[in-house]
Amino acid sequence: MAQKKVYAVKRGRATGLFATWDECKKQVDGFTGAVYKGFSSAQEAQAWLFGTGGMASLFEDEPTAVLKKSPVRENTRSAAAPADYTVYTDGSCLRNPDGPGGYAAVIISAQDGTTRELSGGEPSTTNNRMELRAGIEALSVLPSGSTVDFYTDSQYMKNAFTKYWLRNWKRNGWRTSTGEPVKNQDLWRALDEAFSRHTVRFHWVKGHAGNRWNERCDALARGEAARFS
């Protein structure tokens, strides 16, 4: 029996590993500049897709598809491993800065498909602080060691991890490259701790663009902010 191929997509409608050519084709057929390749094993496909591994493999800007019906999940922290949870977050401040604000998260369990919503707010805050609170609250309720696909429309939060701002802040004693104290340091410390307990794969999603769960988070966050206005 011929060995079944695994397909990897670097550029396409969705990126990641696919167990069949039909699934791969859906992502690349007609997609300008598509980059994809077939491999004889998931390990080879993952090595090509993510490089040699390390932190860079955990940060993806586009939605990631994962290998379906994989016979063995040997490494639950693999960048290509199925997520245990998918998380969407958003923050809102009605009169930014120092106006009433709210945060919200939607958590979707891969095990049973159940959806959990979290939200809260403060009478005087900023949009950035609410974005960070949303991430903290969402990750804090997940079991330690979870693999999480994390969707946010906040470049502020995503870039701190994917562009290593946070790592450099810590090295510099929580100061920026210009020597200024890092803003929202209390929340960054809490978020850093929450992220350290999980494998988090970042995905940026455009806000107010029709994404179901991003829109839901936005509505919840605004609703919480309105309670203080």
Side-chain angles (χ1 to χ4, degrees), residues 145-180:
S146 298
T147 298
V148 183
D149 278 332
F150 190 98
Y151 289 81
T152 177
D153 62 9
S154 172
Q155 294 283 4
Y156 175 65
M157 177 162 57
K158 183 185 78 69
N159 288 346
F161 290 89
T162 63
K163 294 188 176 181
Y164 306 108
W165 298 348
L166 183 59
R167 180 188 65 185
N168 294 334
W169 293 338
K170 291 192 292 183
R171 286 180 176 176
N172 294 336
W174 289 99
R175 292 186 176 274
T176 67
S177 59
T178 61
E180 297 295 321

Side-chain angles (χ1 to χ4, degrees), residues 88-90 106 151-153 205-219:
Y88 286 81
T89 66
D90 200 14
V106 173
Y151 289 81
T152 177
D153 62 9
V205 57
K206 186 176 181 180
H208 312 291
N211 180 285
R212 174 186 178 186
W213 298 118
N214 175 260
E215 296 286 359
R216 178 57 179 163
C217 287
D218 178 67

Side-chain angles (χ1 to χ4, degrees), residues 10-186:
K10 275 189 179 180
R11 282 183 53 82
R13 295 179 182 86
T15 62
L17 304 187
F18 298 86
T20 68
W21 167 242
D22 286 343
E23 286 296 318
C24 176
K25 186 177 180 182
K26 290 177 183 177
Q27 315 311 322
V28 302
D29 195 22
F31 187 94
T32 303
V35 179
Y36 58 97
K37 192 174 181 180
F39 295 88
S40 59
S41 72
Q43 289 78 11
E44 291 177 357
Q46 183 176 323
W48 177 80
L49 182 61
F50 298 114
T52 58
M55 291 301 292
S57 68
L58 302 182
F59 303 124
E60 296 299 313
D61 289 337
E62 299 177 1
T64 303
V66 299
L67 181 64
K68 299 174 178 61
K69 298 181 180 179
S70 177
V72 179
R73 186 178 173 185
E74 296 179 341
N75 181 4
T76 58
R77 299 187 64 83
S78 166
D84 300 305
Y85 298 92
T86 299
V87 171
Y88 286 81
T89 66
D90 200 14
S92 176
C93 186
L94 299 185
R95 293 187 298 276
N96 192 51
D98 300 325
Y103 63 85
V106 173
I107 302 170
I108 306 167
S109 170
Q111 182 176 10
D112 55 16
T114 56
T115 299
R116 178 179 181 182
E117 296 180 348
L118 302 173
S119 62
E122 298 177 9
S124 181
T125 186
T126 68
N127 185 75
N128 282 340
R129 287 188 68 83
M130 292 295 93
E131 294 281 5
L132 299 181
R133 276 292 304 277
I136 293 166
E137 298 298 329
L139 293 175
S140 294
V141 302
L142 300 181
S144 294
S146 298
T147 298
V148 183
D149 278 332
F150 190 98
Y151 289 81
T152 177
D153 62 9
S154 172
Q155 294 283 4
Y156 175 65
M157 177 162 57
K158 183 185 78 69
N159 288 346
F161 290 89
T162 63
K163 294 188 176 181
Y164 306 108
W165 298 348
L166 183 59
R167 180 188 65 185
N168 294 334
W169 293 338
K170 291 192 292 183
R171 286 180 176 176
N172 294 336
W174 289 99
R175 292 186 176 274
T176 67
S177 59
T178 61
E180 297 295 321
V182 173
K183 293 181 180 180
N184 305 314
Q185 184 181 145
D186 57 330

